[in-house]
C-alpha cells in the first residue's frame, strides 16, 4: 500500500477550475463514501477550500498508477467534468512527496499567503470530517497526527506567522504602535468587502469593542455589523460619525474620494484636536491626499503598508527555510513508524502460523489420549512433529543459502535464532 495526494490548488489551476471541483458541506459525506468505494482505495480524506481541493488516500493494487488514474477519473466524474479538461491542472504526489506535501500545507508553506494560519484549522476540519465519515484507517490517522505535530512545531519554533503579510492585518498591526489599549478606541470601517471584513476580525481579536461600519449598501453593512457586534450606517452619515472615530480604515470601490480634507478637519475640531489614525487601503484612494497635511492626523495608504508587507514576507521566507528542515525530519519520523508496521505485521503472521501448527498437533494428541494411547509416547510424538514443522522452512532457507553461498543470509538466520 502507498500514500498518494491528488488535486488542484491556486498554483496549478485558475479559480474557474477550483470552483468546479470544490466539495460543499452538503456533498462531502457522499463524496467520502463514494471515494472509498473506488477500486484499490483503502483510506481517504478530502480537503476542500477556496484555494485547493486535495484527496489524501491510501491505495493498494498490482498497478498503483492505474489506481491513481482512477482517482483522477473519479474526481472529474463526480463533478461532471471530462478528465481531459481537468488533467492539465492536477498535481499528484506519492509516498515521501505526498507526506511532505500534506505537512507543508498544514504549516502554511504551500499557501497563497506564506505562513497564513487559517489552513491548519481547515486541515483539522478535514481530519474531523473524515473521522466522522469513518474513511480513515491506521495510516492516515497516524499521518494526520504527525502532520499536526509538525505544523505546531513550525508555528511555535519559527517566525513563519509572526509578521503580518495581508493588507488588513498590516493596517491593524501598524495601529498597535499608536494605540496602547485597543479596548478604549472607536474604529470606523468604511466599506464592507473582504478586506474590511478581515480588518474587522483582526481588530476584534485585538480587543476593539466599539466599531462603526459604513457602506453604500446599508444591508451589507448591517450583516457584517451583526457578526462583529458593531453599528452599521450609510455613507452619507459619515460627517455625523467621523468625529467619534479614533481609527479609520477605508476600502471601497468608489471612483472618487469619500473623505475630503474639509470633512476630516471639521471632525478634528469636534474632537478637540485628539489625533486620528487613518488607513486608506482603496485603489483609487478613498481619502484625499491633502488630509495628510492636517496636524493630528496619521494617514497611511496601501503603498505604505506594502513596504511593511514586503519586509515581513522576507522575514517569513527566511523562517520557511527553517520550517522545511523541520518538516523533513517529521517526514522521516512518519516513515520510520510505517516501516515498524512491517515488523509488527510479520511478527503477527509468524505467531499465527505457528499457533495454528500447535493447535493442530495438540488436537491430534488430545484425541490419542482420549482413545487410551500411552501419554509418554503421545507427548514425545507431538514434540517431534512440532520441532520438525517449526524447523522445516528455516532449514530449507539455510540449505538454499549455502548452495548459493549467501553467507549474509546465513548470518542473519543465526542472529534470528540466537545461534552462537
Amino acid at each position: 500500500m502507498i500514500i498518494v495526494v491528488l488535486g488542484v490548488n491556486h498554483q496549478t489551476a485558475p479559480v474557474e477550475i477550483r470552483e468546479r471541483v470544490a466539495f460543499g458541506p452538503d456533498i462531502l459525506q457522499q463524496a467520502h463514501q463514494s471515494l472509498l468505494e473506488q477500486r484499490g482505495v483503502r483510506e481517504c480524506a478530502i480537503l476542500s477550500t477556496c484555494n485547493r481541493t486535495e484527496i489524501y488516500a491510501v491505495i493498494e493494487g498490482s498497478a498503483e498508477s492505474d489506481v491513481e488514474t482512477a482517482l483522477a477519473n473519479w474526481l472529474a466524474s463526480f463533478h461532471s467534468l471530462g478528465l481531459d479538461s481537468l488533467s492539465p491542472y492536477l498535481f499528484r504526489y506519492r509516498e515521501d512527496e505526498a507526506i511532505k506535501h500534506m505537512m507543508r500545507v498544514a504549516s502554511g508553506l504551500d499557501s497563497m499567503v506564506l505562513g497564513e494560519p487559517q489552513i491548519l484549522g481547515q486541515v483539522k476540519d478535514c481530519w474531523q470530517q473524515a473521522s466522522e465519515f469513518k474513511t480513515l484507517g491506521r495510516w492516515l490517522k497516524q499521518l494526520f497526527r504527525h502532520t499536526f505535530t509538525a505544523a505546531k512545531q513550525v508555528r511555535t519554533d519559527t517566525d513563519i506567522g509572526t509578521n503580518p503579510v495581508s493588507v488588513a492585518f498590516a493596517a491593524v498591526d501598524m495601529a498597535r504602535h499608536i494605540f496602547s489599549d485597543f479596548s478604549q478606541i472607536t474604529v470606523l470601517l468604511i466599506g464592507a468587502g473582504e478586506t474590511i471584513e478581515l480588518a474587522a476580525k483582526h481588530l476584534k481579536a485585538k480587543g476593539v469593542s466599539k466599531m462603526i461600519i459604513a457602506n453604500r449598501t446599508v444591508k451589507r453593512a448591517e450583516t457584517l455589523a451583526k457578526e462583529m457586534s458593531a453599528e452599521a450606517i450609510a455613507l452619507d452619515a459619515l460627517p455625523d460619525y467621523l468625529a467619534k472615530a479614533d481609527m479609520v480604515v477605508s476600502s471601497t470601490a468608489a471612483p472618487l474620494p469619500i473623505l475630503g480634507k474639509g470633512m476630516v478637519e471639521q471632525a478634528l475640531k469636534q474632537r478637540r484636536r485628539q489625533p486620528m489614525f487613518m488607513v486608506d487601503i482603496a485603489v483609487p484612494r478613498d481619502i484625499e491626499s491633502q488630509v495628510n497635511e492636517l496636524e493630528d492626523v496619521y494617514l497611511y495608504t496601501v503603498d505604505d503598508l506594502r513596504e511593511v508587507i514586503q519586509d515581513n514576507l522576507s522575514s517569513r521566507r527566511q523562517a520557511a527555510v527553517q520550517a522545511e528542515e523541520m518538516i523533513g525530519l517529521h517526514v522521516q519520523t512518519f516513515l520510520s513508524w510505517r516501516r515498524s508496521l512491517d515488523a509488527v505485521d510479520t511478527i503477527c503472521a509468524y505467531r499465527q502460523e505457528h499457533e495454528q501448527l500447535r493447535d493442530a498437533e495438540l488436537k491430534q494428541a488430545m484425541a490419542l489420549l482420549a482413545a487410551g494411547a500411552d501419554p509418554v509416547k503421545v507427548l514425545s510424538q507431538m514434540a517431534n512433529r512440532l520441532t520438525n514443522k517449526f524447523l522445516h522452512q528455516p532449514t530449507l532457507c539455510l540449505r538454499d543459502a549455502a548452495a548459493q553461498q549467501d553467507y549474509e543470509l546465513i548470518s542473519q538466520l543465526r542472529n534470528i535464532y540466537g545461534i552462537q
Side-chain angles (χ1 to χ4, degrees), residues 109 114 158-160 315-325:
L109 298 180
L114 180 65
T158 75
D159 293 330
I160 194 71
S315 175
R316 286 196 177 193
R317 291 190 188 103
Q318 293 175 12
V321 175
Q322 184 183 2
E324 295 283 7
E325 295 176 356

Side-chain angles (χ1 to χ4, degrees), residues 164-167 170-171 174 280-283 300-313:
V165 291
S166 72
V167 172
M174 191 174 286
D280 188 356
I281 304 176
V283 179
Y300 293 87
T301 67
V302 68
D303 288 340
D304 298 319
L305 298 179
R306 193 169 286 128
E307 293 179 10
V308 175
I309 291 170
Q310 288 303 318
D311 290 342
N312 291 344
L313 268 176

Side-chain angles (χ1 to χ4, degrees), residues 151-226:
K152 181 179 179 181
Q153 184 183 9
V154 168
R155 288 283 164 194
T156 303
D157 296 346
T158 75
D159 293 330
I160 194 71
T162 55
N163 298 311
V165 291
S166 72
V167 172
F169 199 102
V172 175
D173 190 66
M174 191 174 286
R176 182 173 54 85
H177 300 289
I178 297 174
F179 302 109
S180 59
D181 187 356
F182 276 92
S183 67
Q184 300 300 312
I185 69 171
T186 298
V187 179
L188 172 62
L189 300 169
I190 305 175
E194 184 179 344
T195 301
I196 289 295
E197 182 178 357
L198 192 56
K201 290 179 179 178
H202 289 319
L203 286 164
K204 189 172 183 179
K206 292 288 186 182
V208 173
S209 58
K210 300 175 185 177
M211 281 190 276
I212 303 166
I213 300 173
N215 194 50
R216 193 175 304 279
T217 305
V218 180
K219 187 175 181 180
R220 170 61 184 146
E222 289 174 343
T223 301
L224 180 57
K226 184 178 180 180

